[in-house]
Amino acid sequence: MELLLTGGMGYIGSHTAVSLTLAGHRVVLYDNLVKSAEVMVERLERITGISPLFVSGDVRDTDHLTDTLRHYAIDAVIHFAGLKVVGESLEIPLEYYANNVQGTISLLQAMREVGTRSLVFSSSANVYGEPRYLPVDEAHPTGVTNPYGRTKLHVEEILFDLARSDPSWRIICLRYFNPVGAHESGLIGETPQGIPNNLMPYIARVASGELAELLVFGDDYPTPDGTGVRDFIHVMDLAEGHASAVAYLTGHSGWQAINLGTGQGYSVLEMVRAFEAASGRPVPYRIAPRRPGDSASCYANPEKALRLLDWSARRSLADMCASTWAFQSGSH
Ligand code: NAD
Ligand code: UFG
């Protein structure tokens, strides 16, 4: 198939591009490079042996998107483009709504114009808010607590209304849990700008010596060791989930929300120990106060993905840490 990946030059988009290319699809990466760089094209070619098509553009530019969809005769779109930092979304909410919500509306208008009706959307477990029960399944009530999560929920609802209004739309919202890790080549991975907000990239920089110590945000949660528990999922498993979602869409119309997680939670201290084992480096840490807005524990019920997409995560925590370390310690 001919697939357009908005935000395809970013962390999850680039790994998905690898999976899709190796599965025989042609991918077009549409990205404004606000959080990525053009060198990605060359790295993807080194991994897959095929140069992906890159189109420089903003998803809010409906005309440019329309031309791109038409020019490459796109069958389906995977919509990664957006801003994703929870804390930043509290500071600059308008930018988040403009990029994530307005950007999606622009994409949908372009798709409607050219008759492309299949869409996979990057949603987030953030839409569930504080879990009321575990594991979190798709029937769990939504309850966002920050502008970033609200943009994801707004978009999910827009997509729901659209699918209800016209049965020719085929839409899947993939609710990612905590994507981590990198492609086994060590050529692509997560490259947060500045000091990382998320646990895994922070740990990687402590192990490499770039940062002195990890602050563990709270050790008094009602979890086995008192630190936060999350459903960390290898980004290549996540990437393969997109390939399965695209395959599902070819035979099914309507709207679905589907969790992509492993179903297994690991604590912050378990992550530290696993990373030390994978890297052979110490990860010094200090217990600090809880981070406002964090929940104690969050992990997925991944049964719907297995049932509908015939997909489940296969890679281990050791794989997640080893691939992160290979990327972190490579010459990038
Ligand atoms: P990323 O920042 O690495 O990639 C996003 C890409 O989108 C970047 O290449 C950026 O340049 C591009 N982009 C941003 N705004 C754009 C615009 N207006 N027009 C065109 N391109 C634009 O992020 P990621 O981790 O790969 O996340 C991809 C998607 O998955 C995002 O929508 C994010 O909200 C969602 N998500 C990510 C996580 C996570 O922990 N990484 C968790 C849940 C959901
Ligand atoms: N943590 C630390 N120290 C750090 C960073 C994180 O102890 O320096 C802890 C947090 O308190 C939490 C756990 O590590 O207990 C995971 O934190 P992350 O920031 O890595 O991930 P979150 O679960 O808070 O949030 C992430 C994304 C959200 C997304 C959510 C679900 O940042 O955008 O996963 O997909 F919505």
Side-chain angles (χ1 to χ4, degrees), residues 84-86 124-126 148 176-179 196-200 202 214-218 221 227-230 232 268 291 294-296:
K84 64 166 184 179
V85 182
V86 172
S124 169
N126 204 287
Y148 166 71
Y176 311 153
F177 279 69
N178 290 59
N197 295 291
N198 296 117
L199 181 66
M200 186 67 131
Y202 202 106
L214 172 73
L215 295 181
V216 174
F217 298 140
Y221 284 109
T227 65
V229 167
R230 295 291 183 277
F232 298 96
V268 174
R291 186 170 65 178
D294 274 356
S295 46

PDB file of all heavy atoms in Angstrom, residues 84-86 124-126 148 176-179 196-200 202 214-218 221 227-230 232 268 291 294-296, ligand 2:
ATOM      1  N   LYS A  84       3.823  16.728  22.123  1.00  0.00           N
ATOM      2  CA  LYS A  84       3.516  15.619  23.045  1.00  0.00           C
ATOM      3  C   LYS A  84       3.974  15.786  24.488  1.00  0.00           C
ATOM      4  O   LYS A  84       3.905  14.835  25.257  1.00  0.00           O
ATOM      5  CB  LYS A  84       4.143  14.352  22.486  1.00  0.00           C
ATOM      6  CG  LYS A  84       5.667  14.399  22.434  1.00  0.00           C
ATOM      7  CD  LYS A  84       6.290  13.035  22.205  1.00  0.00           C
ATOM      8  CE  LYS A  84       7.785  13.102  22.251  1.00  0.00           C
ATOM      9  NZ  LYS A  84       8.454  11.838  22.060  1.00  0.00           N
ATOM     10  N   VAL A  85       4.436  16.972  24.859  1.00  0.00           N
ATOM     11  CA  VAL A  85       4.983  17.094  26.213  1.00  0.00           C
ATOM     12  C   VAL A  85       3.908  17.670  27.166  1.00  0.00           C
ATOM     13  O   VAL A  85       3.474  18.820  27.014  1.00  0.00           O
ATOM     14  CB  VAL A  85       6.246  17.981  26.226  1.00  0.00           C
ATOM     15  CG1 VAL A  85       6.832  18.047  27.629  1.00  0.00           C
ATOM     16  CG2 VAL A  85       7.267  17.446  25.240  1.00  0.00           C
ATOM     17  N   VAL A  86       3.516  16.859  28.136  1.00  0.00           N
ATOM     18  CA  VAL A  86       2.411  17.229  29.028  1.00  0.00           C
ATOM     19  C   VAL A  86       2.673  18.572  29.706  1.00  0.00           C
ATOM     20  O   VAL A  86       1.831  19.479  29.681  1.00  0.00           O
ATOM     21  CB  VAL A  86       2.184  16.123  30.086  1.00  0.00           C
ATOM     22  CG1 VAL A  86       1.181  16.575  31.134  1.00  0.00           C
ATOM     23  CG2 VAL A  86       1.725  14.833  29.422  1.00  0.00           C
ATOM     24  N   SER A 124      -3.224   8.315  23.074  1.00  0.00           N
ATOM     25  CA  SER A 124      -2.366   8.103  24.238  1.00  0.00           C
ATOM     26  C   SER A 124      -3.178   7.565  25.405  1.00  0.00           C
ATOM     27  O   SER A 124      -4.366   7.909  25.565  1.00  0.00           O
ATOM     28  CB  SER A 124      -1.761   9.447  24.639  1.00  0.00           C
ATOM     29  OG  SER A 124      -1.124   9.352  25.892  1.00  0.00           O
ATOM     30  N   ALA A 125      -2.519   6.790  26.238  1.00  0.00           N
ATOM     31  CA  ALA A 125      -3.147   6.341  27.485  1.00  0.00           C
ATOM     32  C   ALA A 125      -3.470   7.533  28.383  1.00  0.00           C
ATOM     33  O   ALA A 125      -4.225   7.395  29.346  1.00  0.00           O
ATOM     34  CB  ALA A 125      -2.216   5.378  28.210  1.00  0.00           C
ATOM     35  N   ASN A 126      -2.896   8.679  28.048  1.00  0.00           N
ATOM     36  CA  ASN A 126      -3.188   9.913  28.777  1.00  0.00           C
ATOM     37  C   ASN A 126      -4.687  10.223  28.783  1.00  0.00           C
ATOM     38  O   ASN A 126      -5.175  10.881  29.702  1.00  0.00           O
ATOM     39  CB  ASN A 126      -2.407  11.051  28.112  1.00  0.00           C
ATOM     40  CG  ASN A 126      -2.152  12.200  29.050  1.00  0.00           C
ATOM     41  OD1 ASN A 126      -3.076  12.937  29.371  1.00  0.00           O
ATOM     42  ND2 ASN A 126      -0.936  12.358  29.502  1.00  0.00           N
ATOM     43  N   TYR A 148      -2.530  18.600  26.765  1.00  0.00           N
ATOM     44  CA  TYR A 148      -2.068  17.580  25.806  1.00  0.00           C
ATOM     45  C   TYR A 148      -3.082  16.440  25.705  1.00  0.00           C
ATOM     46  O   TYR A 148      -3.532  16.061  24.612  1.00  0.00           O
ATOM     47  CB  TYR A 148      -0.699  17.034  26.235  1.00  0.00           C
ATOM     48  CG  TYR A 148      -0.319  15.767  25.500  1.00  0.00           C
ATOM     49  CD1 TYR A 148       0.019  15.803  24.154  1.00  0.00           C
ATOM     50  CD2 TYR A 148      -0.332  14.528  26.150  1.00  0.00           C
ATOM     51  CE1 TYR A 148       0.337  14.633  23.468  1.00  0.00           C
ATOM     52  CE2 TYR A 148      -0.015  13.364  25.471  1.00  0.00           C
ATOM     53  CZ  TYR A 148       0.323  13.419  24.141  1.00  0.00           C
ATOM     54  OH  TYR A 148       0.626  12.266  23.463  1.00  0.00           O
ATOM     55  N   TYR A 176      -1.404   4.598  22.923  1.00  0.00           N
ATOM     56  CA  TYR A 176      -0.095   4.084  23.323  1.00  0.00           C
ATOM     57  C   TYR A 176       0.077   4.218  24.829  1.00  0.00           C
ATOM     58  O   TYR A 176      -0.261   5.245  25.411  1.00  0.00           O
ATOM     59  CB  TYR A 176       1.056   4.885  22.702  1.00  0.00           C
ATOM     60  CG  TYR A 176       1.019   5.149  21.227  1.00  0.00           C
ATOM     61  CD1 TYR A 176       1.667   6.280  20.723  1.00  0.00           C
ATOM     62  CD2 TYR A 176       0.400   4.296  20.329  1.00  0.00           C
ATOM     63  CE1 TYR A 176       1.684   6.552  19.371  1.00  0.00           C
ATOM     64  CE2 TYR A 176       0.415   4.559  18.975  1.00  0.00           C
ATOM     65  CZ  TYR A 176       1.049   5.694  18.497  1.00  0.00           C
ATOM     66  OH  TYR A 176       1.072   5.974  17.155  1.00  0.00           O
ATOM     67  N   PHE A 177       0.719   3.239  25.421  1.00  0.00           N
ATOM     68  CA  PHE A 177       1.130   3.363  26.817  1.00  0.00           C
ATOM     69  C   PHE A 177       2.523   4.032  26.830  1.00  0.00           C
ATOM     70  O   PHE A 177       2.628   5.154  26.370  1.00  0.00           O
ATOM     71  CB  PHE A 177       0.969   2.014  27.540  1.00  0.00           C
ATOM     72  CG  PHE A 177      -0.487   1.858  27.935  1.00  0.00           C
ATOM     73  CD1 PHE A 177      -1.467   1.662  26.952  1.00  0.00           C
ATOM     74  CD2 PHE A 177      -0.904   2.011  29.244  1.00  0.00           C
ATOM     75  CE1 PHE A 177      -2.820   1.626  27.287  1.00  0.00           C
ATOM     76  CE2 PHE A 177      -2.253   1.963  29.589  1.00  0.00           C
ATOM     77  CZ  PHE A 177      -3.209   1.768  28.615  1.00  0.00           C
ATOM     78  N   ASN A 178       3.579   3.429  27.322  1.00  0.00           N
ATOM     79  CA  ASN A 178       4.846   4.181  27.426  1.00  0.00           C
ATOM     80  C   ASN A 178       5.881   3.647  26.445  1.00  0.00           C
ATOM     81  O   ASN A 178       6.635   2.728  26.787  1.00  0.00           O
ATOM     82  CB  ASN A 178       5.377   4.114  28.857  1.00  0.00           C
ATOM     83  CG  ASN A 178       4.528   4.913  29.829  1.00  0.00           C
ATOM     84  OD1 ASN A 178       3.337   4.661  29.976  1.00  0.00           O
ATOM     85  ND2 ASN A 178       5.123   5.881  30.481  1.00  0.00           N
ATOM     86  N   PRO A 179       5.947   4.222  25.244  1.00  0.00           N
ATOM     87  CA  PRO A 179       6.896   3.724  24.245  1.00  0.00           C
ATOM     88  C   PRO A 179       8.338   4.037  24.655  1.00  0.00           C
ATOM     89  O   PRO A 179       8.654   5.168  25.048  1.00  0.00           O
ATOM     90  CB  PRO A 179       6.540   4.508  22.972  1.00  0.00           C
ATOM     91  CG  PRO A 179       5.244   5.198  23.262  1.00  0.00           C
ATOM     92  CD  PRO A 179       5.148   5.341  24.736  1.00  0.00           C
ATOM     93  N   PRO A 196      15.581  15.443  29.318  1.00  0.00           N
ATOM     94  CA  PRO A 196      14.381  14.629  29.062  1.00  0.00           C
ATOM     95  C   PRO A 196      13.359  14.731  30.190  1.00  0.00           C
ATOM     96  O   PRO A 196      13.714  14.832  31.357  1.00  0.00           O
ATOM     97  CB  PRO A 196      14.938  13.201  28.973  1.00  0.00           C
ATOM     98  CG  PRO A 196      16.404  13.328  28.795  1.00  0.00           C
ATOM     99  CD  PRO A 196      16.804  14.630  29.405  1.00  0.00           C
ATOM    100  N   ASN A 197      12.090  14.680  29.822  1.00  0.00           N
ATOM    101  CA  ASN A 197      11.009  14.627  30.819  1.00  0.00           C
ATOM    102  C   ASN A 197      10.691  13.197  31.192  1.00  0.00           C
ATOM    103  O   ASN A 197      10.235  12.919  32.290  1.00  0.00           O
ATOM    104  CB  ASN A 197       9.722  15.231  30.229  1.00  0.00           C
ATOM    105  CG  ASN A 197       9.861  16.687  29.931  1.00  0.00           C
ATOM    106  OD1 ASN A 197       9.962  17.490  30.839  1.00  0.00           O
ATOM    107  ND2 ASN A 197       9.895  17.049  28.654  1.00  0.00           N
ATOM    108  N   ASN A 198      10.882  12.285  30.235  1.00  0.00           N
ATOM    109  CA  ASN A 198      10.452  10.902  30.429  1.00  0.00           C
ATOM    110  C   ASN A 198      11.561  10.061  31.031  1.00  0.00           C
ATOM    111  O   ASN A 198      12.749  10.342  30.887  1.00  0.00           O
ATOM    112  CB  ASN A 198       9.973  10.302  29.111  1.00  0.00           C
ATOM    113  CG  ASN A 198       8.730  11.018  28.588  1.00  0.00           C
ATOM    114  OD1 ASN A 198       8.770  11.614  27.519  1.00  0.00           O
ATOM    115  ND2 ASN A 198       7.669  11.009  29.348  1.00  0.00           N
ATOM    116  N   LEU A 199      11.129   9.003  31.694  1.00  0.00           N
ATOM    117  CA  LEU A 199      12.048   8.192  32.496  1.00  0.00           C
ATOM    118  C   LEU A 199      13.182   7.551  31.679  1.00  0.00           C
ATOM    119  O   LEU A 199      14.363   7.697  32.036  1.00  0.00           O
ATOM    120  CB  LEU A 199      11.247   7.095  33.213  1.00  0.00           C
ATOM    121  CG  LEU A 199      12.065   6.171  34.106  1.00  0.00           C
ATOM    122  CD1 LEU A 199      12.651   6.937  35.287  1.00  0.00           C
ATOM    123  CD2 LEU A 199      11.188   5.016  34.605  1.00  0.00           C
ATOM    124  N   MET A 200      12.844   6.831  30.627  1.00  0.00           N
ATOM    125  CA  MET A 200      13.863   6.035  29.936  1.00  0.00           C
ATOM    126  C   MET A 200      14.981   6.885  29.330  1.00  0.00           C
ATOM    127  O   MET A 200      16.162   6.592  29.551  1.00  0.00           O
ATOM    128  CB  MET A 200      13.184   5.157  28.877  1.00  0.00           C
ATOM    129  CG  MET A 200      14.094   4.189  28.208  1.00  0.00           C
ATOM    130  SD  MET A 200      14.672   2.913  29.357  1.00  0.00           S
ATOM    131  CE  MET A 200      14.336   1.456  28.382  1.00  0.00           C
ATOM    132  N   TYR A 202      15.931   9.707  30.285  1.00  0.00           N
ATOM    133  CA  TYR A 202      16.677  10.308  31.404  1.00  0.00           C
ATOM    134  C   TYR A 202      17.669   9.292  31.964  1.00  0.00           C
ATOM    135  O   TYR A 202      18.858   9.590  32.175  1.00  0.00           O
ATOM    136  CB  TYR A 202      15.705  10.779  32.506  1.00  0.00           C
ATOM    137  CG  TYR A 202      16.306  11.843  33.394  1.00  0.00           C
ATOM    138  CD1 TYR A 202      15.910  13.162  33.286  1.00  0.00           C
ATOM    139  CD2 TYR A 202      17.302  11.518  34.335  1.00  0.00           C
ATOM    140  CE1 TYR A 202      16.481  14.150  34.086  1.00  0.00           C
ATOM    141  CE2 TYR A 202      17.880  12.494  35.131  1.00  0.00           C
ATOM    142  CZ  TYR A 202      17.457  13.807  35.007  1.00  0.00           C
ATOM    143  OH  TYR A 202      18.025  14.778  35.783  1.00  0.00           O
ATOM    144  N   LEU A 214      19.537  10.299  38.585  1.00  0.00           N
ATOM    145  CA  LEU A 214      18.097  10.283  38.318  1.00  0.00           C
ATOM    146  C   LEU A 214      17.363  10.728  39.577  1.00  0.00           C
ATOM    147  O   LEU A 214      17.718  10.306  40.681  1.00  0.00           O
ATOM    148  CB  LEU A 214      17.663   8.847  37.960  1.00  0.00           C
ATOM    149  CG  LEU A 214      16.153   8.617  37.842  1.00  0.00           C
ATOM    150  CD1 LEU A 214      15.599   9.244  36.580  1.00  0.00           C
ATOM    151  CD2 LEU A 214      15.835   7.122  37.884  1.00  0.00           C
ATOM    152  N   LEU A 215      16.363  11.569  39.403  1.00  0.00           N
ATOM    153  CA  LEU A 215      15.466  11.848  40.525  1.00  0.00           C
ATOM    154  C   LEU A 215      14.283  10.914  40.400  1.00  0.00           C
ATOM    155  O   LEU A 215      13.591  10.916  39.363  1.00  0.00           O
ATOM    156  CB  LEU A 215      14.989  13.307  40.499  1.00  0.00           C
ATOM    157  CG  LEU A 215      16.064  14.373  40.695  1.00  0.00           C
ATOM    158  CD1 LEU A 215      15.433  15.774  40.675  1.00  0.00           C
ATOM    159  CD2 LEU A 215      16.808  14.155  42.019  1.00  0.00           C
ATOM    160  N   VAL A 216      14.070  10.083  41.398  1.00  0.00           N
ATOM    161  CA  VAL A 216      12.921   9.165  41.403  1.00  0.00           C
ATOM    162  C   VAL A 216      11.766   9.908  42.071  1.00  0.00           C
ATOM    163  O   VAL A 216      11.836  10.216  43.262  1.00  0.00           O
ATOM    164  CB  VAL A 216      13.263   7.865  42.153  1.00  0.00           C
ATOM    165  CG1 VAL A 216      12.033   6.978  42.279  1.00  0.00           C
ATOM    166  CG2 VAL A 216      14.395   7.132  41.447  1.00  0.00           C
ATOM    167  N   PHE A 217      10.733  10.172  41.268  1.00  0.00           N
ATOM    168  CA  PHE A 217       9.643  11.014  41.771  1.00  0.00           C
ATOM    169  C   PHE A 217       8.675  10.213  42.645  1.00  0.00           C
ATOM    170  O   PHE A 217       7.638   9.762  42.186  1.00  0.00           O
ATOM    171  CB  PHE A 217       8.889  11.656  40.606  1.00  0.00           C
ATOM    172  CG  PHE A 217       9.737  12.561  39.754  1.00  0.00           C
ATOM    173  CD1 PHE A 217       9.603  12.568  38.366  1.00  0.00           C
ATOM    174  CD2 PHE A 217      10.666  13.427  40.322  1.00  0.00           C
ATOM    175  CE1 PHE A 217      10.370  13.414  37.576  1.00  0.00           C
ATOM    176  CE2 PHE A 217      11.439  14.275  39.534  1.00  0.00           C
ATOM    177  CZ  PHE A 217      11.294  14.269  38.160  1.00  0.00           C
ATOM    178  N   GLY A 218       9.040  10.051  43.886  1.00  0.00           N
ATOM    179  CA  GLY A 218       8.153   9.421  44.864  1.00  0.00           C
ATOM    180  C   GLY A 218       8.488   7.965  45.105  1.00  0.00           C
ATOM    181  O   GLY A 218       8.687   7.201  44.166  1.00  0.00           O
ATOM    182  N   TYR A 221       4.318   5.454  46.840  1.00  0.00           N
ATOM    183  CA  TYR A 221       3.080   5.059  46.147  1.00  0.00           C
ATOM    184  C   TYR A 221       2.656   3.664  46.617  1.00  0.00           C
ATOM    185  O   TYR A 221       3.509   2.862  47.046  1.00  0.00           O
ATOM    186  CB  TYR A 221       3.308   5.031  44.630  1.00  0.00           C
ATOM    187  CG  TYR A 221       3.355   6.390  43.978  1.00  0.00           C
ATOM    188  CD1 TYR A 221       4.556   6.902  43.481  1.00  0.00           C
ATOM    189  CD2 TYR A 221       2.196   7.150  43.845  1.00  0.00           C
ATOM    190  CE1 TYR A 221       4.596   8.153  42.863  1.00  0.00           C
ATOM    191  CE2 TYR A 221       2.235   8.399  43.235  1.00  0.00           C
ATOM    192  CZ  TYR A 221       3.431   8.895  42.744  1.00  0.00           C
ATOM    193  OH  TYR A 221       3.464  10.120  42.145  1.00  0.00           O
ATOM    194  N   THR A 227       7.603   2.948  44.131  1.00  0.00           N
ATOM    195  CA  THR A 227       7.817   3.878  43.007  1.00  0.00           C
ATOM    196  C   THR A 227       6.761   3.616  41.929  1.00  0.00           C
ATOM    197  O   THR A 227       6.126   2.559  41.903  1.00  0.00           O
ATOM    198  CB  THR A 227       9.246   3.747  42.422  1.00  0.00           C
ATOM    199  OG1 THR A 227       9.423   2.445  41.840  1.00  0.00           O
ATOM    200  CG2 THR A 227      10.284   3.970  43.508  1.00  0.00           C
ATOM    201  N   GLY A 228       6.586   4.586  41.029  1.00  0.00           N
ATOM    202  CA  GLY A 228       5.539   4.529  40.006  1.00  0.00           C
ATOM    203  C   GLY A 228       5.700   3.313  39.095  1.00  0.00           C
ATOM    204  O   GLY A 228       6.824   2.877  38.811  1.00  0.00           O
ATOM    205  N   VAL A 229       4.571   2.787  38.662  1.00  0.00           N
ATOM    206  CA  VAL A 229       4.578   1.612  37.767  1.00  0.00           C
ATOM    207  C   VAL A 229       3.923   2.000  36.434  1.00  0.00           C
ATOM    208  O   VAL A 229       2.857   2.612  36.416  1.00  0.00           O
ATOM    209  CB  VAL A 229       3.807   0.440  38.424  1.00  0.00           C
ATOM    210  CG1 VAL A 229       3.509  -0.659  37.420  1.00  0.00           C
ATOM    211  CG2 VAL A 229       4.602  -0.119  39.606  1.00  0.00           C
ATOM    212  N   ARG A 230       4.603   1.645  35.315  1.00  0.00           N
ATOM    213  CA  ARG A 230       4.085   1.968  33.984  1.00  0.00           C
ATOM    214  C   ARG A 230       4.226   0.773  33.053  1.00  0.00           C
ATOM    215  O   ARG A 230       5.045  -0.110  33.272  1.00  0.00           O
ATOM    216  CB  ARG A 230       4.864   3.147  33.368  1.00  0.00           C
ATOM    217  CG  ARG A 230       4.706   4.468  34.082  1.00  0.00           C
ATOM    218  CD  ARG A 230       3.300   5.046  33.931  1.00  0.00           C
ATOM    219  NE  ARG A 230       3.197   6.362  34.564  1.00  0.00           N
ATOM    220  CZ  ARG A 230       2.971   6.558  35.861  1.00  0.00           C
ATOM    221  NH1 ARG A 230       2.842   5.532  36.695  1.00  0.00           N
ATOM    222  NH2 ARG A 230       2.879   7.781  36.346  1.00  0.00           N
ATOM    223  N   PHE A 232       5.723  -0.071  29.985  1.00  0.00           N
ATOM    224  CA  PHE A 232       6.716   0.308  28.981  1.00  0.00           C
ATOM    225  C   PHE A 232       6.636  -0.674  27.820  1.00  0.00           C
ATOM    226  O   PHE A 232       6.658  -1.891  28.030  1.00  0.00           O
ATOM    227  CB  PHE A 232       8.120   0.320  29.598  1.00  0.00           C
ATOM    228  CG  PHE A 232       8.251   1.326  30.703  1.00  0.00           C
ATOM    229  CD1 PHE A 232       8.098   0.951  32.038  1.00  0.00           C
ATOM    230  CD2 PHE A 232       8.478   2.672  30.420  1.00  0.00           C
ATOM    231  CE1 PHE A 232       8.185   1.883  33.058  1.00  0.00           C
ATOM    232  CE2 PHE A 232       8.566   3.614  31.434  1.00  0.00           C
ATOM    233  CZ  PHE A 232       8.412   3.222  32.758  1.00  0.00           C
ATOM    234  N   VAL A 268       9.719   2.214  38.550  1.00  0.00           N
ATOM    235  CA  VAL A 268      10.880   3.061  38.230  1.00  0.00           C
ATOM    236  C   VAL A 268      12.170   2.356  38.656  1.00  0.00           C
ATOM    237  O   VAL A 268      13.142   2.304  37.894  1.00  0.00           O
ATOM    238  CB  VAL A 268      10.743   4.438  38.919  1.00  0.00           C
ATOM    239  CG1 VAL A 268      12.005   5.269  38.728  1.00  0.00           C
ATOM    240  CG2 VAL A 268       9.525   5.191  38.400  1.00  0.00           C
ATOM    241  N   ARG A 291       5.947  13.746  41.486  1.00  0.00           N
ATOM    242  CA  ARG A 291       5.731  14.755  40.435  1.00  0.00           C
ATOM    243  C   ARG A 291       4.220  15.006  40.342  1.00  0.00           C
ATOM    244  O   ARG A 291       3.444  14.058  40.206  1.00  0.00           O
ATOM    245  CB  ARG A 291       6.271  14.209  39.107  1.00  0.00           C
ATOM    246  CG  ARG A 291       6.251  15.180  37.961  1.00  0.00           C
ATOM    247  CD  ARG A 291       7.021  14.645  36.749  1.00  0.00           C
ATOM    248  NE  ARG A 291       6.414  13.442  36.162  1.00  0.00           N
ATOM    249  CZ  ARG A 291       6.869  12.826  35.083  1.00  0.00           C
ATOM    250  NH1 ARG A 291       7.948  13.291  34.455  1.00  0.00           N
ATOM    251  NH2 ARG A 291       6.284  11.749  34.606  1.00  0.00           N
ATOM    252  N   ASP A 294       1.157  12.809  38.471  1.00  0.00           N
ATOM    253  CA  ASP A 294       1.499  11.406  38.200  1.00  0.00           C
ATOM    254  C   ASP A 294       0.554  10.461  38.935  1.00  0.00           C
ATOM    255  O   ASP A 294       0.173  10.718  40.075  1.00  0.00           O
ATOM    256  CB  ASP A 294       2.921  11.097  38.685  1.00  0.00           C
ATOM    257  CG  ASP A 294       3.970  11.442  37.648  1.00  0.00           C
ATOM    258  OD1 ASP A 294       3.592  11.850  36.527  1.00  0.00           O
ATOM    259  OD2 ASP A 294       5.169  11.301  37.953  1.00  0.00           O
ATOM    260  N   SER A 295       0.231   9.348  38.274  1.00  0.00           N
ATOM    261  CA  SER A 295      -0.519   8.318  38.984  1.00  0.00           C
ATOM    262  C   SER A 295       0.443   7.252  39.491  1.00  0.00           C
ATOM    263  O   SER A 295       1.579   7.138  39.016  1.00  0.00           O
ATOM    264  CB  SER A 295      -1.596   7.707  38.094  1.00  0.00           C
ATOM    265  OG  SER A 295      -1.080   7.408  36.843  1.00  0.00           O
ATOM    266  N   ALA A 296      -0.036   6.468  40.462  1.00  0.00           N
ATOM    267  CA  ALA A 296       0.816   5.438  41.060  1.00  0.00           C
ATOM    268  C   ALA A 296       1.155   4.381  40.024  1.00  0.00           C
ATOM    269  O   ALA A 296       2.311   3.995  39.843  1.00  0.00           O
ATOM    270  CB  ALA A 296       0.090   4.798  42.242  1.00  0.00           C
TER     271      ALA A 296
HETATM  272  N1  UFG B   2       9.938   9.383  36.564  1.00  0.00           N
HETATM  273  C1  UFG B   2      10.926   9.587  37.524  1.00  0.00           C
HETATM  274  N2  UFG B   2      11.961  10.419  37.225  1.00  0.00           N
HETATM  275  C2  UFG B   2      12.067  11.050  36.012  1.00  0.00           C
HETATM  276  C3  UFG B   2      11.054  10.830  35.042  1.00  0.00           C
HETATM  277  C4  UFG B   2       9.998   9.995  35.366  1.00  0.00           C
HETATM  278  O1  UFG B   2      10.852   9.035  38.617  1.00  0.00           O
HETATM  279  O2  UFG B   2      13.032  11.814  35.802  1.00  0.00           O
HETATM  280  C5  UFG B   2       8.832   8.459  36.880  1.00  0.00           C
HETATM  281  C6  UFG B   2       7.474   9.124  36.875  1.00  0.00           C
HETATM  282  O3  UFG B   2       7.192   9.690  38.107  1.00  0.00           O
HETATM  283  C7  UFG B   2       6.563   7.948  36.505  1.00  0.00           C
HETATM  284  C8  UFG B   2       7.444   7.083  35.589  1.00  0.00           C
HETATM  285  O4  UFG B   2       8.797   7.473  35.869  1.00  0.00           O
HETATM  286  O5  UFG B   2       6.260   7.220  37.661  1.00  0.00           O
HETATM  287  C9  UFG B   2       7.173   7.264  34.118  1.00  0.00           C
HETATM  288  O6  UFG B   2       7.240   8.648  33.796  1.00  0.00           O
HETATM  289  P1  UFG B   2       7.321   9.167  32.280  1.00  0.00           P
HETATM  290  O7  UFG B   2       7.430  10.654  32.330  1.00  0.00           O
HETATM  291  O8  UFG B   2       8.361   8.422  31.540  1.00  0.00           O
HETATM  292  O9  UFG B   2       5.926   8.698  31.660  1.00  0.00           O
HETATM  293  P2  UFG B   2       4.417   9.065  32.058  1.00  0.00           P
HETATM  294  O10 UFG B   2       3.727   7.759  32.324  1.00  0.00           O
HETATM  295  O11 UFG B   2       4.349  10.097  33.101  1.00  0.00           O
HETATM  296  O12 UFG B   2       3.849   9.732  30.719  1.00  0.00           O
HETATM  297  C10 UFG B   2       4.137   9.223  29.419  1.00  0.00           C
HETATM  298  C11 UFG B   2       4.086  10.376  28.419  1.00  0.00           C
HETATM  299  C12 UFG B   2       2.685  10.894  28.289  1.00  0.00           C
HETATM  300  C13 UFG B   2       1.771   9.771  27.931  1.00  0.00           C
HETATM  301  C14 UFG B   2       1.858   8.661  28.945  1.00  0.00           C
HETATM  302  C15 UFG B   2       1.004   7.493  28.523  1.00  0.00           C
HETATM  303  O13 UFG B   2       4.931  11.414  28.832  1.00  0.00           O
HETATM  304  O14 UFG B   2       2.617  11.826  27.257  1.00  0.00           O
HETATM  305  O15 UFG B   2       3.218   8.220  29.065  1.00  0.00           O
HETATM  306  O16 UFG B   2       1.318   7.147  27.210  1.00  0.00           O
HETATM  307  F1  UFG B   2       0.499  10.208  27.883  1.00  0.00           F
END
